[in-house]
Amino acid sequence: MKRKVFDLRPWARVARHSQSVLNLPGYVIVDYVAHEVTRPLDVEFGGRTIRVLDSGFRWVRVHPTGESGVTGSALSAMLDAGGVPVQVYVDIHVGEGVGEDGLPWTDDAYLDVIGDWHVGNRGDGDGQAGRVTEAHIIDAEDLEAAVQGGLVTPQEAQDVWARAQDVRAALLEGTYAPLAVLRRYLSDPYT
């Protein structure tokens, strides 16, 4: 498994940015704003292409501060320049924590869950009326390669798949706990 630190400051696609870190009970929130992007980022999602990074976009990480060695997950939301979430991305991991620098880390478990974000009829642009209407588990081939390479046991892979399926279902039902933290943060960034 590869340890990943959520720190977008060195991102080569972005010429000018800001990043803040907020500690809440049970979570760390990293709020990254890409003020000036040199190479926008478009991704495939459900047969269409969506832009997840351009000038003025924000990436907000809602990272649990749990224990190492457990199969868990952490949410990142990509918001457009108007502040409307366009995609959520959930990293499935087998360990999580916060480094001495205050930045969250995970021991990546290869699978991820992505979801769109449909803003409801309120039209206020804050994403509060939003919900995930479509979600997909991605990177199955990476997990399979890790099993074949002896980096992950078949039992660990089964646990990771179960967690990814639970996360996908919770995203679609609107019951995934980090979504509530994200909604609260977007409506009142605790400042």
Side-chain angles (χ1 to χ4, degrees):
M1 312 254 171
K2 180 179 178 184
R3 181 153 295 178
K4 293 183 177 179
V5 176
F6 191 82
D7 184 7
L8 299 176
R9 292 175 297 182
W11 208 353
R13 293 177 176 272
V14 180
R16 195 170 50 84
H17 65 271
S18 59
Q19 180 171 286
S20 60
V21 179
L22 177 67
N23 290 290
L24 302 173
Y27 293 94
V28 171
I29 295 179
V30 180
D31 194 338
Y32 178 87
V33 181
H35 299 290
E36 184 182 338
V37 172
T38 57
R39 284 186 312 150
L41 178 59
D42 297 326
V43 297
E44 295 298 315
F45 180 87
R48 63 192 185 278
T49 302
I50 60 172
R51 178 145 297 173
V52 295
L53 179 69
D54 206 342
S55 294
F57 278 43
R58 288 170 65 194
W59 285 35
V60 178
R61 174 74 159 204
V62 178
H63 190 95
T65 55
E67 302 175 25
S68 183
V70 298
T71 304
S73 60
L75 172 73
S76 295
M78 292 75 178
L79 293 79
D80 68 17
V84 176
V86 294
Q87 183 182 41
V88 293
Y89 190 104
V90 179
D91 293 295
I92 307 299
H93 59 264
V94 295
E96 63 197 18
V98 178
E100 290 180 15
D101 58 3
L103 294 171
W105 58 265
T106 61
D107 289 331
D108 186 50
Y110 305 101
L111 287 186
D112 301 298
V113 182
I114 56 173
D116 70 345
W117 188 286
H118 174 75
V119 176
N121 296 324
R122 284 180 36 187
D124 56 8
D126 70 358
Q128 294 303 300
R131 63 186 180 93
V132 174
T133 58
E134 182 179 349
H136 304 278
I137 298 172
I138 61 170
D139 300 333
E141 64 283 353
D142 294 343
L143 179 58
E144 181 58 31
V147 171
Q148 295 300 319
L151 300 172
V152 175
T153 68
Q155 181 60 54
E156 288 169 330
Q158 185 177 353
D159 293 347
V160 168
W161 267 106
R163 179 65 179 157
Q165 291 165 335
D166 289 347
V167 166
R168 181 183 177 279
L171 284 171
L172 293 170
E173 294 166 1
T175 58
Y176 182 60
L179 278 177
V181 175
L182 174 67
R183 286 185 180 110
R184 277 195 318 271
Y185 178 74
L186 293 178
S187 67
D188 177 16
Y190 305 96
T191 57

